Amino acid sequence: LFCQYIPAGPAMASGDLPDGGWLYVIKWSSIPEKDPLKDSPYGKWSLDAIGRSIAVEGVKEFRTFRAAAGGPHIISTLGFSSLGDLTAWRGNTDIMKLQSEAQEMTYEFVSEIWGPSEYLPNPRWRTGIENGYVGKVLYVISTGLAKGKQESYGKWIQESIPVWFAVPGLLGVRAFHVVVGARKEVVVFEVEDAKSWGEWYENPEVQRTRDASRVLIENIRTEIWGPNPFVLKPIRPKAESGESGR
């Protein structure tokens, strides 16, 4: 169940992701504990749940974060190569048992399924880190599309990408279509840390791209997912052959 962690490298390239491109996104809040986190009943269950989750065939990558504000305050993503693999994983007996356990050990529990986006089918990475490192902080924008704005939205993404990468701090950008969830389009910006995000986000050129999107999108939710000290690095299960993932 161990993995290889890919360090950052030093503008823009497209590439595949170790997570496979389909994400099962789980969000929840934990019940406060008096004991240190890893020694608490929730902490012990959480570590056990991670191991059981990635032991089931099909998982390409596991990541976990803490929300910078608001709730649910814990987010985990499990990556799969296809919707079929994700569906088979969810149907596994132990995974269904874990879902039931989660309802008892957590609150504000929600789950979503994110698939590839027609507007940005392949992730874009700053040159030198494609097919590898992922940021420690994610800036996530979830939206619906305004009526009749699908084509304009796709054009906005493609025109904005060079602007986003021209500003230091951005490591990668990805887009998803939400198959199960309230908002249907998601754009995820990967950055190294909160400071890098703040400097990138406040840049006037980045703000101009945000202003241009306002007539195209609706029902907007923005989130910042920061590091979760419980599991700081992505977990990428080894292939059956014994070779590590990317």
Side-chain angles (χ1 to χ4, degrees), residues 37-57:
L37 184 57
K38 290 190 177 182
D39 296 328
S40 69
Y42 164 78
K44 292 176 181 178
W45 171 82
S46 185
L47 285 175
D48 177 64
I50 292 170
R52 289 159 63 190
S53 295
I54 64 176
V56 176
E57 184 178 359

mmCIF file with all atom_site columns, all heavy atoms in Angstrom, residues 37-57:
data_model
loop_
_atom_site.group_PDB
_atom_site.id
_atom_site.type_symbol
_atom_site.label_atom_id
_atom_site.label_alt_id
_atom_site.label_comp_id
_atom_site.label_asym_id
_atom_site.label_entity_id
_atom_site.label_seq_id
_atom_site.pdbx_PDB_ins_code
_atom_site.Cartn_x
_atom_site.Cartn_y
_atom_site.Cartn_z
_atom_site.occupancy
_atom_site.B_iso_or_equiv
_atom_site.pdbx_formal_charge
_atom_site.auth_seq_id
_atom_site.auth_comp_id
_atom_site.auth_asym_id
_atom_site.auth_atom_id
_atom_site.pdbx_PDB_model_num
ATOM 1   N N   . LEU A 1 37 ? -5.133  13.590 17.780  1.00 0.00 ? 37 LEU A N   1
ATOM 2   C CA  . LEU A 1 37 ? -5.901  13.092 16.646  1.00 0.00 ? 37 LEU A CA  1
ATOM 3   C C   . LEU A 1 37 ? -5.621  11.630 16.316  1.00 0.00 ? 37 LEU A C   1
ATOM 4   O O   . LEU A 1 37 ? -6.526  10.806 16.214  1.00 0.00 ? 37 LEU A O   1
ATOM 5   C CB  . LEU A 1 37 ? -5.634  13.962 15.412  1.00 0.00 ? 37 LEU A CB  1
ATOM 6   C CG  . LEU A 1 37 ? -6.452  13.612 14.171  1.00 0.00 ? 37 LEU A CG  1
ATOM 7   C CD1 . LEU A 1 37 ? -7.936  13.667 14.467  1.00 0.00 ? 37 LEU A CD1 1
ATOM 8   C CD2 . LEU A 1 37 ? -6.103  14.557 13.031  1.00 0.00 ? 37 LEU A CD2 1
ATOM 9   N N   . LYS A 1 38 ? -4.328  11.283 16.166  1.00 0.00 ? 38 LYS A N   1
ATOM 10  C CA  . LYS A 1 38 ? -4.020  9.923  15.736  1.00 0.00 ? 38 LYS A CA  1
ATOM 11  C C   . LYS A 1 38 ? -4.266  8.888  16.822  1.00 0.00 ? 38 LYS A C   1
ATOM 12  O O   . LYS A 1 38 ? -4.303  7.687  16.545  1.00 0.00 ? 38 LYS A O   1
ATOM 13  C CB  . LYS A 1 38 ? -2.580  9.844  15.226  1.00 0.00 ? 38 LYS A CB  1
ATOM 14  C CG  . LYS A 1 38 ? -2.394  10.579 13.903  1.00 0.00 ? 38 LYS A CG  1
ATOM 15  C CD  . LYS A 1 38 ? -1.034  10.308 13.285  1.00 0.00 ? 38 LYS A CD  1
ATOM 16  C CE  . LYS A 1 38 ? -0.921  10.996 11.939  1.00 0.00 ? 38 LYS A CE  1
ATOM 17  N NZ  . LYS A 1 38 ? 0.378   10.717 11.271  1.00 0.00 ? 38 LYS A NZ  1
ATOM 18  N N   . ASP A 1 39 ? -4.433  9.343  18.079  1.00 0.00 ? 39 ASP A N   1
ATOM 19  C CA  . ASP A 1 39 ? -4.712  8.419  19.179  1.00 0.00 ? 39 ASP A CA  1
ATOM 20  C C   . ASP A 1 39 ? -6.197  8.346  19.503  1.00 0.00 ? 39 ASP A C   1
ATOM 21  O O   . ASP A 1 39 ? -6.610  7.548  20.340  1.00 0.00 ? 39 ASP A O   1
ATOM 22  C CB  . ASP A 1 39 ? -3.948  8.845  20.435  1.00 0.00 ? 39 ASP A CB  1
ATOM 23  C CG  . ASP A 1 39 ? -2.439  8.764  20.243  1.00 0.00 ? 39 ASP A CG  1
ATOM 24  O OD1 . ASP A 1 39 ? -2.002  7.881  19.484  1.00 0.00 ? 39 ASP A OD1 1
ATOM 25  O OD2 . ASP A 1 39 ? -1.721  9.585  20.834  1.00 0.00 ? 39 ASP A OD2 1
ATOM 26  N N   . SER A 1 40 ? -6.995  9.168  18.868  1.00 0.00 ? 40 SER A N   1
ATOM 27  C CA  . SER A 1 40 ? -8.422  9.210  19.152  1.00 0.00 ? 40 SER A CA  1
ATOM 28  C C   . SER A 1 40 ? -9.150  8.102  18.391  1.00 0.00 ? 40 SER A C   1
ATOM 29  O O   . SER A 1 40 ? -8.630  7.555  17.419  1.00 0.00 ? 40 SER A O   1
ATOM 30  C CB  . SER A 1 40 ? -8.990  10.565 18.732  1.00 0.00 ? 40 SER A CB  1
ATOM 31  O OG  . SER A 1 40 ? -8.974  10.677 17.307  1.00 0.00 ? 40 SER A OG  1
ATOM 32  N N   . PRO A 1 41 ? -10.358 7.745  18.822  1.00 0.00 ? 41 PRO A N   1
ATOM 33  C CA  . PRO A 1 41 ? -11.133 6.746  18.067  1.00 0.00 ? 41 PRO A CA  1
ATOM 34  C C   . PRO A 1 41 ? -11.304 7.140  16.601  1.00 0.00 ? 41 PRO A C   1
ATOM 35  O O   . PRO A 1 41 ? -11.171 6.304  15.710  1.00 0.00 ? 41 PRO A O   1
ATOM 36  C CB  . PRO A 1 41 ? -12.469 6.712  18.814  1.00 0.00 ? 41 PRO A CB  1
ATOM 37  C CG  . PRO A 1 41 ? -12.118 7.097  20.217  1.00 0.00 ? 41 PRO A CG  1
ATOM 38  C CD  . PRO A 1 41 ? -11.027 8.133  20.081  1.00 0.00 ? 41 PRO A CD  1
ATOM 39  N N   . TYR A 1 42 ? -11.592 8.435  16.362  1.00 0.00 ? 42 TYR A N   1
ATOM 40  C CA  . TYR A 1 42 ? -11.740 8.876  14.970  1.00 0.00 ? 42 TYR A CA  1
ATOM 41  C C   . TYR A 1 42 ? -10.419 8.743  14.220  1.00 0.00 ? 42 TYR A C   1
ATOM 42  O O   . TYR A 1 42 ? -10.396 8.280  13.075  1.00 0.00 ? 42 TYR A O   1
ATOM 43  C CB  . TYR A 1 42 ? -12.207 10.337 14.919  1.00 0.00 ? 42 TYR A CB  1
ATOM 44  C CG  . TYR A 1 42 ? -12.002 10.949 13.550  1.00 0.00 ? 42 TYR A CG  1
ATOM 45  C CD1 . TYR A 1 42 ? -12.890 10.672 12.514  1.00 0.00 ? 42 TYR A CD1 1
ATOM 46  C CD2 . TYR A 1 42 ? -10.908 11.772 13.288  1.00 0.00 ? 42 TYR A CD2 1
ATOM 47  C CE1 . TYR A 1 42 ? -12.686 11.198 11.250  1.00 0.00 ? 42 TYR A CE1 1
ATOM 48  C CE2 . TYR A 1 42 ? -10.701 12.301 12.029  1.00 0.00 ? 42 TYR A CE2 1
ATOM 49  C CZ  . TYR A 1 42 ? -11.592 12.015 11.012  1.00 0.00 ? 42 TYR A CZ  1
ATOM 50  O OH  . TYR A 1 42 ? -11.376 12.537 9.755   1.00 0.00 ? 42 TYR A OH  1
ATOM 51  N N   . GLY A 1 43 ? -9.328  9.152  14.847  1.00 0.00 ? 43 GLY A N   1
ATOM 52  C CA  . GLY A 1 43 ? -8.034  9.093  14.179  1.00 0.00 ? 43 GLY A CA  1
ATOM 53  C C   . GLY A 1 43 ? -7.646  7.669  13.815  1.00 0.00 ? 43 GLY A C   1
ATOM 54  O O   . GLY A 1 43 ? -7.174  7.406  12.701  1.00 0.00 ? 43 GLY A O   1
ATOM 55  N N   . LYS A 1 44 ? -7.860  6.748  14.739  1.00 0.00 ? 44 LYS A N   1
ATOM 56  C CA  . LYS A 1 44 ? -7.525  5.354  14.469  1.00 0.00 ? 44 LYS A CA  1
ATOM 57  C C   . LYS A 1 44 ? -8.415  4.796  13.363  1.00 0.00 ? 44 LYS A C   1
ATOM 58  O O   . LYS A 1 44 ? -7.959  4.063  12.479  1.00 0.00 ? 44 LYS A O   1
ATOM 59  C CB  . LYS A 1 44 ? -7.662  4.531  15.747  1.00 0.00 ? 44 LYS A CB  1
ATOM 60  C CG  . LYS A 1 44 ? -6.619  4.881  16.799  1.00 0.00 ? 44 LYS A CG  1
ATOM 61  C CD  . LYS A 1 44 ? -6.853  4.111  18.097  1.00 0.00 ? 44 LYS A CD  1
ATOM 62  C CE  . LYS A 1 44 ? -5.813  4.486  19.146  1.00 0.00 ? 44 LYS A CE  1
ATOM 63  N NZ  . LYS A 1 44 ? -6.045  3.789  20.424  1.00 0.00 ? 44 LYS A NZ  1
ATOM 64  N N   . TRP A 1 45 ? -9.705  5.141  13.424  1.00 0.00 ? 45 TRP A N   1
ATOM 65  C CA  . TRP A 1 45 ? -10.612 4.686  12.363  1.00 0.00 ? 45 TRP A CA  1
ATOM 66  C C   . TRP A 1 45 ? -10.216 5.278  11.013  1.00 0.00 ? 45 TRP A C   1
ATOM 67  O O   . TRP A 1 45 ? -10.229 4.584  9.990   1.00 0.00 ? 45 TRP A O   1
ATOM 68  C CB  . TRP A 1 45 ? -12.051 5.092  12.696  1.00 0.00 ? 45 TRP A CB  1
ATOM 69  C CG  . TRP A 1 45 ? -12.981 4.831  11.546  1.00 0.00 ? 45 TRP A CG  1
ATOM 70  C CD1 . TRP A 1 45 ? -13.564 3.644  11.209  1.00 0.00 ? 45 TRP A CD1 1
ATOM 71  C CD2 . TRP A 1 45 ? -13.386 5.774  10.552  1.00 0.00 ? 45 TRP A CD2 1
ATOM 72  N NE1 . TRP A 1 45 ? -14.314 3.781  10.069  1.00 0.00 ? 45 TRP A NE1 1
ATOM 73  C CE2 . TRP A 1 45 ? -14.222 5.090  9.638   1.00 0.00 ? 45 TRP A CE2 1
ATOM 74  C CE3 . TRP A 1 45 ? -13.127 7.134  10.344  1.00 0.00 ? 45 TRP A CE3 1
ATOM 75  C CZ2 . TRP A 1 45 ? -14.804 5.716  8.542   1.00 0.00 ? 45 TRP A CZ2 1
ATOM 76  C CZ3 . TRP A 1 45 ? -13.703 7.759  9.245   1.00 0.00 ? 45 TRP A CZ3 1
ATOM 77  C CH2 . TRP A 1 45 ? -14.531 7.061  8.358   1.00 0.00 ? 45 TRP A CH2 1
ATOM 78  N N   . SER A 1 46 ? -9.845  6.558  10.999  1.00 0.00 ? 46 SER A N   1
ATOM 79  C CA  . SER A 1 46 ? -9.508  7.233  9.750   1.00 0.00 ? 46 SER A CA  1
ATOM 80  C C   . SER A 1 46 ? -8.306  6.587  9.075   1.00 0.00 ? 46 SER A C   1
ATOM 81  O O   . SER A 1 46 ? -8.299  6.332  7.865   1.00 0.00 ? 46 SER A O   1
ATOM 82  C CB  . SER A 1 46 ? -9.232  8.718  10.018  1.00 0.00 ? 46 SER A CB  1
ATOM 83  O OG  . SER A 1 46 ? -9.027  9.413  8.813   1.00 0.00 ? 46 SER A OG  1
ATOM 84  N N   . LEU A 1 47 ? -7.259  6.296  9.853   1.00 0.00 ? 47 LEU A N   1
ATOM 85  C CA  . LEU A 1 47 ? -6.082  5.635  9.277   1.00 0.00 ? 47 LEU A CA  1
ATOM 86  C C   . LEU A 1 47 ? -6.430  4.245  8.747   1.00 0.00 ? 47 LEU A C   1
ATOM 87  O O   . LEU A 1 47 ? -5.970  3.838  7.671   1.00 0.00 ? 47 LEU A O   1
ATOM 88  C CB  . LEU A 1 47 ? -4.973  5.543  10.321  1.00 0.00 ? 47 LEU A CB  1
ATOM 89  C CG  . LEU A 1 47 ? -4.227  6.839  10.637  1.00 0.00 ? 47 LEU A CG  1
ATOM 90  C CD1 . LEU A 1 47 ? -3.237  6.609  11.771  1.00 0.00 ? 47 LEU A CD1 1
ATOM 91  C CD2 . LEU A 1 47 ? -3.503  7.370  9.407   1.00 0.00 ? 47 LEU A CD2 1
ATOM 92  N N   . ASP A 1 48 ? -7.258  3.534  9.489   1.00 0.00 ? 48 ASP A N   1
ATOM 93  C CA  . ASP A 1 48 ? -7.696  2.216  9.042   1.00 0.00 ? 48 ASP A CA  1
ATOM 94  C C   . ASP A 1 48 ? -8.520  2.335  7.759   1.00 0.00 ? 48 ASP A C   1
ATOM 95  O O   . ASP A 1 48 ? -8.367  1.529  6.829   1.00 0.00 ? 48 ASP A O   1
ATOM 96  C CB  . ASP A 1 48 ? -8.512  1.541  10.140  1.00 0.00 ? 48 ASP A CB  1
ATOM 97  C CG  . ASP A 1 48 ? -9.059  0.183  9.727   1.00 0.00 ? 48 ASP A CG  1
ATOM 98  O OD1 . ASP A 1 48 ? -8.243  -0.727 9.486   1.00 0.00 ? 48 ASP A OD1 1
ATOM 99  O OD2 . ASP A 1 48 ? -10.295 0.044  9.631   1.00 0.00 ? 48 ASP A OD2 1
ATOM 100 N N   . ALA A 1 49 ? -9.376  3.356  7.709   1.00 0.00 ? 49 ALA A N   1
ATOM 101 C CA  . ALA A 1 49 ? -10.241 3.544  6.541   1.00 0.00 ? 49 ALA A CA  1
ATOM 102 C C   . ALA A 1 49 ? -9.425  3.848  5.289   1.00 0.00 ? 49 ALA A C   1
ATOM 103 O O   . ALA A 1 49 ? -9.752  3.371  4.192   1.00 0.00 ? 49 ALA A O   1
ATOM 104 C CB  . ALA A 1 49 ? -11.234 4.669  6.815   1.00 0.00 ? 49 ALA A CB  1
ATOM 105 N N   . ILE A 1 50 ? -8.358  4.623  5.439   1.00 0.00 ? 50 ILE A N   1
ATOM 106 C CA  . ILE A 1 50 ? -7.507  4.928  4.289   1.00 0.00 ? 50 ILE A CA  1
ATOM 107 C C   . ILE A 1 50 ? -6.892  3.636  3.741   1.00 0.00 ? 50 ILE A C   1
ATOM 108 O O   . ILE A 1 50 ? -6.920  3.375  2.531   1.00 0.00 ? 50 ILE A O   1
ATOM 109 C CB  . ILE A 1 50 ? -6.410  5.932  4.673   1.00 0.00 ? 50 ILE A CB  1
ATOM 110 C CG1 . ILE A 1 50 ? -7.024  7.305  4.972   1.00 0.00 ? 50 ILE A CG1 1
ATOM 111 C CG2 . ILE A 1 50 ? -5.373  6.059  3.541   1.00 0.00 ? 50 ILE A CG2 1
ATOM 112 C CD1 . ILE A 1 50 ? -6.056  8.287  5.579   1.00 0.00 ? 50 ILE A CD1 1
ATOM 113 N N   . GLY A 1 51 ? -6.342  2.828  4.629   1.00 0.00 ? 51 GLY A N   1
ATOM 114 C CA  . GLY A 1 51 ? -5.730  1.579  4.202   1.00 0.00 ? 51 GLY A CA  1
ATOM 115 C C   . GLY A 1 51 ? -6.719  0.659  3.513   1.00 0.00 ? 51 GLY A C   1
ATOM 116 O O   . GLY A 1 51 ? -6.417  0.055  2.471   1.00 0.00 ? 51 GLY A O   1
ATOM 117 N N   . ARG A 1 52 ? -7.912  0.555  4.067   1.00 0.00 ? 52 ARG A N   1
ATOM 118 C CA  . ARG A 1 52 ? -8.928  -0.307 3.459   1.00 0.00 ? 52 ARG A CA  1
ATOM 119 C C   . ARG A 1 52 ? -9.401  0.250  2.124   1.00 0.00 ? 52 ARG A C   1
ATOM 120 O O   . ARG A 1 52 ? -9.670  -0.515 1.185   1.00 0.00 ? 52 ARG A O   1
ATOM 121 C CB  . ARG A 1 52 ? -10.107 -0.454 4.430   1.00 0.00 ? 52 ARG A CB  1
ATOM 122 C CG  . ARG A 1 52 ? -9.767  -1.298 5.650   1.00 0.00 ? 52 ARG A CG  1
ATOM 123 C CD  . ARG A 1 52 ? -10.709 -1.022 6.808   1.00 0.00 ? 52 ARG A CD  1
ATOM 124 N NE  . ARG A 1 52 ? -12.094 -1.376 6.506   1.00 0.00 ? 52 ARG A NE  1
ATOM 125 C CZ  . ARG A 1 52 ? -13.125 -1.048 7.291   1.00 0.00 ? 52 ARG A CZ  1
ATOM 126 N NH1 . ARG A 1 52 ? -12.900 -0.356 8.423   1.00 0.00 ? 52 ARG A NH1 1
ATOM 127 N NH2 . ARG A 1 52 ? -14.352 -1.396 6.961   1.00 0.00 ? 52 ARG A NH2 1
ATOM 128 N N   . SER A 1 53 ? -9.480  1.558  2.009   1.00 0.00 ? 53 SER A N   1
ATOM 129 C CA  . SER A 1 53 ? -9.947  2.180  0.767   1.00 0.00 ? 53 SER A CA  1
ATOM 130 C C   . SER A 1 53 ? -9.000  1.920  -0.399  1.00 0.00 ? 53 SER A C   1
ATOM 131 O O   . SER A 1 53 ? -9.422  1.603  -1.508  1.00 0.00 ? 53 SER A O   1
ATOM 132 C CB  . SER A 1 53 ? -10.119 3.693  0.957   1.00 0.00 ? 53 SER A CB  1
ATOM 133 O OG  . SER A 1 53 ? -11.136 3.973  1.888   1.00 0.00 ? 53 SER A OG  1
ATOM 134 N N   . ILE A 1 54 ? -7.704  2.080  -0.142  1.00 0.00 ? 54 ILE A N   1
ATOM 135 C CA  . ILE A 1 54 ? -6.749  1.942  -1.242  1.00 0.00 ? 54 ILE A CA  1
ATOM 136 C C   . ILE A 1 54 ? -6.346  0.493  -1.480  1.00 0.00 ? 54 ILE A C   1
ATOM 137 O O   . ILE A 1 54 ? -5.681  0.176  -2.467  1.00 0.00 ? 54 ILE A O   1
ATOM 138 C CB  . ILE A 1 54 ? -5.500  2.813  -1.017  1.00 0.00 ? 54 ILE A CB  1
ATOM 139 C CG1 . ILE A 1 54 ? -4.723  2.362  0.215   1.00 0.00 ? 54 ILE A CG1 1
ATOM 140 C CG2 . ILE A 1 54 ? -5.893  4.275  -0.906  1.00 0.00 ? 54 ILE A CG2 1
ATOM 141 C CD1 . ILE A 1 54 ? -3.432  3.129  0.426   1.00 0.00 ? 54 ILE A CD1 1
ATOM 142 N N   . ALA A 1 55 ? -6.779  -0.415 -0.583  1.00 0.00 ? 55 ALA A N   1
ATOM 143 C CA  . ALA A 1 55 ? -6.491  -1.832 -0.784  1.00 0.00 ? 55 ALA A CA  1
ATOM 144 C C   . ALA A 1 55 ? -7.407  -2.452 -1.828  1.00 0.00 ? 55 ALA A C   1
ATOM 145 O O   . ALA A 1 55 ? -7.097  -3.499 -2.397  1.00 0.00 ? 55 ALA A O   1
ATOM 146 C CB  . ALA A 1 55 ? -6.628  -2.585 0.539   1.00 0.00 ? 55 ALA A CB  1
ATOM 147 N N   . VAL A 1 56 ? -8.544  -1.810 -2.079  1.00 0.00 ? 56 VAL A N   1
ATOM 148 C CA  . VAL A 1 56 ? -9.492  -2.341 -3.055  1.00 0.00 ? 56 VAL A CA  1
ATOM 149 C C   . VAL A 1 56 ? -9.025  -1.991 -4.460  1.00 0.00 ? 56 VAL A C   1
ATOM 150 O O   . VAL A 1 56 ? -8.625  -0.849 -4.732  1.00 0.00 ? 56 VAL A O   1
ATOM 151 C CB  . VAL A 1 56 ? -10.904 -1.785 -2.788  1.00 0.00 ? 56 VAL A CB  1
ATOM 152 C CG1 . VAL A 1 56 ? -11.887 -2.262 -3.849  1.00 0.00 ? 56 VAL A CG1 1
ATOM 153 C CG2 . VAL A 1 56 ? -11.376 -2.197 -1.396  1.00 0.00 ? 56 VAL A CG2 1
ATOM 154 N N   . GLU A 1 57 ? -9.090  -2.933 -5.353  1.00 0.00 ? 57 GLU A N   1
ATOM 155 C CA  . GLU A 1 57 ? -8.586  -2.760 -6.716  1.00 0.00 ? 57 GLU A CA  1
ATOM 156 C C   . GLU A 1 57 ? -9.238  -1.574 -7.425  1.00 0.00 ? 57 GLU A C   1
ATOM 157 O O   . GLU A 1 57 ? -10.432 -1.325 -7.271  1.00 0.00 ? 57 GLU A O   1
ATOM 158 C CB  . GLU A 1 57 ? -8.848  -4.038 -7.526  1.00 0.00 ? 57 GLU A CB  1
ATOM 159 C CG  . GLU A 1 57 ? -8.276  -4.007 -8.925  1.00 0.00 ? 57 GLU A CG  1
ATOM 160 C CD  . GLU A 1 57 ? -8.517  -5.310 -9.673  1.00 0.00 ? 57 GLU A CD  1
ATOM 161 O OE1 . GLU A 1 57 ? -9.114  -6.232 -9.086  1.00 0.00 ? 57 GLU A OE1 1
ATOM 162 O OE2 . GLU A 1 57 ? -8.099  -5.391 -10.840 1.00 0.00 ? 57 GLU A OE2 1
#
